[in-house]
Amino acid sequence: MPQKKWKFNIIDIIAVVLIAAVIFFVASKLLSNRGGEREMVTITYQVIAENQPVEMYEAAQQYIPCKIMASGALYDAEVTAVEAEHTLVCSEGTWVEDPDHVDLLFTVTAQVEKTAVMVPSVGTQEIRIGKEIIFKTEYIEFDPAYVVSVEYT
């Protein structure tokens, strides 16, 4: 029985071109992030955890400086300071200091990727003023906490 010779037709050519284009596209996407250095920007931001027991201030101080954590991984962000501000409560129509509670103000310095539109994120959390976040390190966690300032350097 004689064997048939394989002949290319227009459908075969289109299929080969499409397969080559897909392979080229996938390879370029995979290799585009390798070898090229991403430009990084340093940001300093502050996070407030409101109405915390006074003891939390002393407990948090002993673990500073420390790295920011999310999803079980440490990130290129470090808590550099914590301050305690008096929590104010309304008592009989006037604002007074609550002797048992403080608002904790944490300062964090982080390296984030520079992008065309600066919406920095540490881990999966976007860092924007007013944003509610889970503030977490290896030893400290406050939920909710709020970003109150962001400075780019």
Side-chain angles (χ1 to χ4, degrees), residues 57-67 79 137-140:
Y57 174 62
E58 294 167 3
Q61 276 187 316
Q62 67 182 332
Y63 294 110
I64 293 176
C66 58
K67 295 275 190 185
V79 181
T137 72
E138 285 182 281
Y139 310 104
I140 304 166

Side-chain angles (χ1 to χ4, degrees), residues 7-143:
K7 290 186 179 180
F8 277 109
N9 61 28
I10 191 72
I11 302 296
D12 295 330
I13 293 171
I14 291 172
V16 169
V17 169
L18 284 175
I19 291 171
V22 168
I23 291 171
F24 177 76
F25 177 75
V26 170
S28 68
K29 286 296 181 185
L30 289 175
L31 296 176
S32 67
N33 288 336
R34 294 184 185 184
E37 289 292 319
R38 296 179 293 167
E39 190 174 351
M40 302 300 278
V41 175
T42 301
I43 64 168
T44 301
Y45 63 98
Q46 290 187 311
V47 176
I48 192 165
E50 298 174 311
N51 200 25
Q52 300 298 318
V54 172
E55 298 80 22
M56 296 304 288
Y57 174 62
E58 294 167 3
Q61 276 187 316
Q62 67 182 332
Y63 294 110
I64 293 176
C66 58
K67 295 275 190 185
I68 294 292
M69 178 181 197
S71 303
L74 295 174
Y75 289 92
D76 195 9
E78 185 173 71
V79 181
T80 57
V82 62
E83 301 170 26
E85 299 176 349
H86 295 287
T87 298
L88 298 177
V89 292
C90 188
S91 175
E92 298 176 10
T94 59
W95 290 97
V96 295
E97 291 180 4
D98 181 350
D100 300 323
H101 293 87
V102 291
D103 295 340
L104 299 177
L105 187 64
F106 293 92
T107 303
V108 181
T109 301
Q111 293 289 317
V112 297
E113 186 175 352
K114 184 176 183 179
T115 57
V117 177
M118 284 304 293
V119 181
S121 61
V122 174
T124 57
Q125 296 193 80
E126 291 180 355
I127 305 301
R128 291 185 283 172
I129 295 172
K131 181 92 170 153
E132 180 180 322
I133 65 171
I134 299 171
F135 182 74
K136 187 175 183 181
T137 72
E138 285 182 281
Y139 310 104
I140 304 166
E141 182 172 343
F142 292 99
D143 183 14

